[in-house]
Amino acid sequence: MVDFTRSEMNRFSYKEWKKYFSYNDRQRLEIDFSQEEELSQVVKKRIFPSIREFQKGEGSDGRYLMETVEAFADRHKVPEYKEAMKQFIREENWHSAYLKKFMDFHRVQVKENSFLDRVFRKLRRLGGVRCEVMVLVTAEMVALTYYDALSKNTDSAALKSICAQMLHDEIPHVMFQSYTLSHFENSLPDKLMRIILMEVTALFVWGAFRKVYKAGGYDFGIFLKENMGYLRQSIELSGR
Ligand SMILES: [Fe+2]
Ligand SMILES: [Fe+2]
């Protein structure tokens, strides 16, 4: 498990986050498919249901999110947050595009309708920016174990490069969202809510994609422990 609580980035203001996202935007991944081979049917059946799900989830246009972000930015007088969040959404859309390229290479169709994605969107819209970010960061923390496990599922260098890029980008995302949550009160009931949200999400994700996790060396105990560990770090950052 990565420990990101000591990172310099945790001291970033929104202005600095904006700078970071602009900088990171210049380091986009060029996926090399020159050595890519056909995957076995067994591997395809194991990995693509979850890849299609994540491809859909990473591809949101963030329209409702931006409305809540604008209200927050005006209230807290941090106009840079709006641009930082737009850049963040663009980065997530790149993630979706990487996965789409991988799916295209292997002739796998995108998912039009996703139950998990719909549940997440509904949950996020229950409140303002705080609710959006709380749900969003839960998914991003689960993504950390997912891309780690996925990268160990095949010998595909293309997929490994995608997973490495995801992990490189997602850890700062968790810090960025945790910083926003630090603008709100973090009382015990708030923390409990985050714990329950993570537990329920982890149960769903394990139920749906455990084969990918198992092939990537995770059992349920390790999976839950890592996710709760990331949540503990995020709660620590939001309490600052
Ligand atoms: Fe992402
Ligand atoms: Fe993310």
Side-chain angles (χ1 to χ4, degrees), residues 58 88 92 95 140 169-170 173:
E58 304 258 20
F88 158 82
E92 291 296 20
H95 292 174
E140 298 191 290
D169 293 346
E170 291 296 350
H173 289 182

Side-chain angles (χ1 to χ4, degrees), residues 66 94 104 150 152 175 188 193:
M66 276 318 293
W94 270 108
D104 285 348
L150 182 63
K152 294 169 186 156
M175 295 189 257
L188 193 59
M193 208 162 71

Side-chain angles (χ1 to χ4, degrees), residues 130 134 181-188 190 238:
R130 184 189 203 182
M134 216 182 257
L181 293 176
S182 76
H183 290 72
F184 298 93
E185 195 197 331
N186 284 288
S187 61
L188 193 59
D190 296 314
S238 340

Side-chain angles (χ1 to χ4, degrees), residues 25-146:
D25 197 40
R26 296 195 289 270
Q27 339 248 326
R28 299 277 55 120
L29 174 70
E30 283 297 331
I31 308 165
D32 178 9
F33 284 103
S34 62
Q35 307 295 316
E36 186 69 3
E37 288 175 9
E38 199 58 40
L39 297 166
S40 73
Q41 282 307 318
V42 175
V43 170
K44 277 182 146 181
K45 245 178 102 178
R46 187 173 68 224
I47 64 172
F48 279 115
S50 61
I51 292 179
R52 291 174 79 216
E53 195 74 50
F54 274 80
Q55 193 273 333
K56 175 93 177 131
E58 304 258 20
S60 160
D61 65 3
R63 216 172 337 135
Y64 181 79
L65 174 64
M66 276 318 293
E67 279 173 29
T68 65
V69 163
E70 278 174 29
F72 174 93
D74 294 342
R75 196 167 58 243
H76 290 267
K77 301 198 172 32
V78 280
E80 320 78 60
Y81 183 41
K82 298 180 198 177
E83 191 50 39
M85 191 53 106
K86 273 189 208 152
Q87 290 168 311
F88 158 82
I89 294 168
R90 202 176 314 140
E91 194 158 288
E92 291 296 20
N93 293 167
W94 270 108
H95 292 174
S96 181
Y98 298 148
L99 294 175
K100 168 91 166 47
K101 279 185 191 165
F102 186 73
M103 287 162 60
D104 285 348
F105 184 93
H106 291 285
R107 301 172 308 282
V108 173
Q109 300 288 310
V110 292
K111 199 163 183 154
E112 298 299 343
N113 249 313
S114 153
F115 173 71
L116 266 182
D117 190 52
R118 269 204 316 274
V119 171
F120 261 107
R121 271 167 219 254
K122 285 240 160 66
L123 271 179
R124 280 167 45 184
R125 291 173 190 191
L126 287 176
V129 74
R130 184 189 203 182
C131 185
E132 280 267 356
V133 169
M134 216 182 257
V135 176
L136 199 57
V137 73
T138 306
E140 298 191 290
M141 288 185 282
V142 173
L144 296 178
T145 51
Y146 172 70

